[in-house]
Amino acid sequence: MFAVVYCPEFYIQCERLFRPDLNNAALIIASNDGDGGLTIIASSVEAKKMGLLSGLQGTELTDTLNSLINHLEIKICSPNYELYGDISERFIKSLELLAPKVSPCADDKALLDLRGLEPQRLDSKSLTSEGSFQSYGRKIQQELKQWTGISAVIGTAPTKTLAKLACSAAQIFDHYEGVTDLSTLQERQSIFKCISVADINGISKKAAAKLSAINIHTALELSTAPKALIRRHSSVVVERIAIELSGLCCKELKLNDDTSDVISNSNNRVEARSFADIKQVLVAQTAGASEHLKSLSGTCDSVGVALTTVLLSKRTPRIQNALTANLGSATNSPGSIQQLATQLLESLWREDAQYHSIKLSLTGLNPADAGQFSLFSDTSISSIEPNEYSPPKAIRLETFLCPANHNHWQEKRSLLSASFTTKWSDIPRAS
Amino acid sequence: MNMMAARHDFGESEQTLDLNELCIEHPTATYFVRASGDSMIDAGIHCDDVLVVDRSITARNGDIIVASLDHSFTVKKLEVSPQLRLVPMNQGDSDFRPNNINDDTIFEVFGVVTYVVHAVR
């Protein structure tokens, strides 16, 4: 069994946690991260109703704001990543107290691996084994809300694909009140009819079009169509998704946002523009990644560095240049990793480019000394067959690079909400 | 006798005392709030004291809580019966009066105060 836990409007919820006066306000969080335009990165339901949607940027945004701001109360905040990061950590750590294996997918989303948990053991107060994952989901929702103040929606199901669908259903269909369990066939079929294949995680628009051509439009049709037909007209990935929709786990199914076998951290934002600064960032990344590797008792055999440029205009997409190289022999030596990484950076670096992010990857992970990765020593999952678990395949760290000066955005930084949980001078007051 | 060896013989390594261990039982649910004003002076809460607030504890009658009342945070004693209300604790100042909580009151409990940190210098 798997569960996907997602916090809708996470940044907005974080801003409201210590500002009860913003609870029903039209609130937008707007960022200027050096790309040359003010962009909405999050907006509350009230703001969305006014047309202030996520992604609105530049002159389009300022025009919309100017037309509204004289008449209505719109609150604008700068992104408070320190606050969001702290609350996100609480979100994940609270989940770790409630589930055996938690894989964060993003600041506001996590995948829970519940294999090994038997329904009767979930909640001693639960009356029946049927619907007990429903009550488990409800308990997680209530505990998260009480402990961290964040509202979440939860989907539980026998496969990862179904759990993601269940989570989406929990968000879309009000009658679920935020918790959907797709353990039973009836429950699955009742919502499959309403979900089009294009909305399923892992199925691209192109793949959806191909399925449409063979008369498969909804999740229901996909789950019941003969697998051979799907494989013939679509891809193996889509076939595996179809298998998962019918309730069977597909070990080989690996989707882009499936990070359970990748340890990654992309919460960092650093001011860096020059080669020297960015090299420092990379050195810090290699140190962090090597430490992760050591804590896993593992080695890696390749290092990759990727540099992504800033978005210069709507018409110029970001460009990513990446290089990967082998280390020569499997190692966990921080010195070797750092040396190779900096060589890759030197090869990639272009003086005339403005960089948006730098990503370090350590791949080809293996347990050191033909032993096991130390993750396996968790006794709560010792009853599971080892080959059901895929050991981590990569360690990825991404750091976002900001320009040192925010120029015309400088004055708007005063709209940064207080560091309510990370600075003593900023903690909320109660009278 | 070697004192270091003697300490290790007891099996458990004791580390130096940590205030976090004393005051924070549920780290992911614990937030710090600073008190303003004198409404709770009789409870030992002074202006600028730091309150350790635990959201995981369900508030009971008599608990000191931080709550949002009419969109701003307040720290008061919670009374549940005969009437749900927030009670100040400052007998010396009659300007502080209890706030009744009705169905239409904009009210939400934030958490229960477990410790108060008061600086004496």
Side-chain angles (χ1 to χ4, degrees), chain B residues 33-92:
Chain B
V33 175
R34 207 176 282 275
S36 281
D38 298 327
S39 64
M40 293 293 282
I41 216 135
D42 295 345
I45 297 175
H46 300 78
C47 189
D48 294 339
D49 284 354
V50 172
L51 310 170
V52 179
V53 185
D54 190 333
R55 288 185 61 103
S56 69
I57 304 174
T58 304
R60 290 185 314 217
N61 192 54
D63 279 340
I64 296 175
I65 63 167
V66 169
S68 72
L69 182 68
D70 291 329
H71 303 302
S72 65
F73 283 129
T74 181
V75 52
K76 296 287 176 290
K77 184 172 77 165
L78 179 74
E79 266 180 24
V80 165
S81 64
Q83 157 76 43
L84 180 64
R85 61 184 197 159
L86 296 179
V87 182
M89 291 172 68
N90 184 338
Q91 286 200 321

Side-chain angles (χ1 to χ4, degrees), chain A residues 50 74 90 124 127 135 176 217 225 238 286 348 364 374 390 427:
Chain A
M50 296 176 185
I74 299 178
R90 289 163 185 266
S124 54
L127 301 168
S135 54
Y176 284 120
H217 306 281
V238 175
T286 57
L348 282 171
S374 55
S390 36
I427 63 174

Side-chain angles (χ1 to χ4, degrees), chain A residues 233-251:
Chain A
H233 291 270
S234 188
S235 70
V236 148
V237 173
V238 175
E239 185 204 353
R240 286 176 182 158
I241 290 174
I243 293 173
E244 286 230 331
L245 283 178
S246 55
L248 298 167
C249 273
C250 235
K251 232 180 13 182

